[in-house]
Amino acid sequence: STFLILSVVGLNAQNDSRKMNWGESFEVLIEKYPEVDFIEETEIGIGWIGYFHFGYVSGRRARINYLFINNKLVLGSYDFTPERSSSFAKDFVKDFDALSEKLQSKYEMDSNDIWYKDNNIDLDLMGFDYYLALGDVELKETSFSEKTVIAHTLEKSEGTISHMLIYAGVKYFESREDSDFDDL
């Protein structure tokens, strides 16, 4: 479910995600980034293909992902944790906070952290990093506009800390919500 929520991207006012607009093709992506060698993901589902490359976003190394369905861009994301050398939760929280500050200056982001334990929490004494390292909290913030959903998350799952920023077209996001509901 975290992946679905995180599947939402749009970085600047005139474009939906980086230099791209929702619905544009992979060929347009190549035209806009001729210097980038994109790596193709294996087909994720019927008509679903992902492409990625490594680069820097806001001074941080990231895996930059694009998801196309029937050759139409529906989602873009940044994974700030692949091949990360630091294992200290405090470093992840610092990066999350720095990106959060930039996002909040650009978008109306709503914080919706999820606490898995609500007893004996003392942030002043222990800090978010302590609870993140235990897997007791998932830091989340989201923004919704007419065309784009943005999700920024930091969580520990199955022993690994993951820091993601996702932009998705509203149509894609709504279709995912509907299909998840139908699965029940």
Side-chain angles (χ1 to χ4, degrees):
S1 69
T2 300
F3 174 76
L4 296 176
I5 292 171
L6 293 178
S7 300
V8 183
V9 183
L11 286 180
N12 57 46
Q14 59 201 39
N15 299 112
D16 298 319
S17 181
R18 296 181 66 83
K19 296 178 185 177
M20 298 286 290
N21 291 306
W22 304 128
E24 290 185 321
S25 68
F26 175 66
E27 291 74 24
V28 173
L29 178 67
I30 292 172
E31 288 173 17
K32 292 184 179 183
Y33 292 97
E35 73 286 356
V36 174
D37 291 325
F38 292 97
I39 301 166
E40 182 177 333
E41 294 276 6
T42 56
E43 193 164 325
I44 302 162
I46 297 175
W48 295 39
I49 298 179
Y51 298 92
F52 71 92
H53 68 97
F54 291 92
Y56 287 86
V57 177
S58 204
R60 287 158 189 81
R61 183 159 167 77
R63 177 180 156 153
I64 302 166
N65 306 290
Y66 300 85
L67 177 64
F68 294 83
I69 298 177
N70 298 323
N71 201 25
K72 293 182 178 166
L73 180 68
V74 296
L75 180 137
S77 69
Y78 305 112
D79 181 350
F80 295 102
T81 48
E83 304 170 356
R84 177 131 182 195
S85 61
S86 175
S87 61
F88 297 108
K90 187 171 281 209
D91 293 336
F92 288 94
V93 172
K94 285 180 186 176
D95 283 351
F96 181 87
D97 288 345
L99 283 170
S100 177
E101 187 176 315
K102 289 182 180 187
L103 287 167
Q104 290 176 26
S105 71
K106 203 169 182 184
Y107 308 106
E108 190 173 315
M109 302 294 291
D110 294 321
S111 177
N112 11 18
D113 300 338
I114 298 173
W115 287 91
Y116 297 106
K117 277 187 162 182
D118 58 352
N119 56 341
N120 300 323
I121 294 171
D122 188 348
L123 284 175
D124 292 332
L125 177 63
M126 303 307 282
F128 276 111
D129 58 306
Y130 173 78
Y131 296 102
L132 174 66
L134 292 175
D136 289 345
V137 66
E138 180 178 342
L139 304 179
K140 297 175 87 169
E141 56 186 353
T142 55
S143 178
F144 296 86
S145 72
E146 266 184 49
K147 293 171 48 179
T148 302
V149 178
I150 302 170
H152 182 212
T153 64
L154 180 63
E155 68 178 328
K156 183 174 183 180
S157 177
E158 298 181 11
T160 303
I161 295 175
S162 174
H163 181 191
M164 297 284 300
L165 176 58
I166 297 168
Y167 296 78
V170 168
K171 290 179 184 177
Y172 169 74
F173 185 72
E174 289 172 346
S175 73
R176 295 302 309 157
E177 280 186 328
D178 290 345
S179 77
D180 289 345
F181 183 77
D182 291 342
D183 288 345
L184 296 176

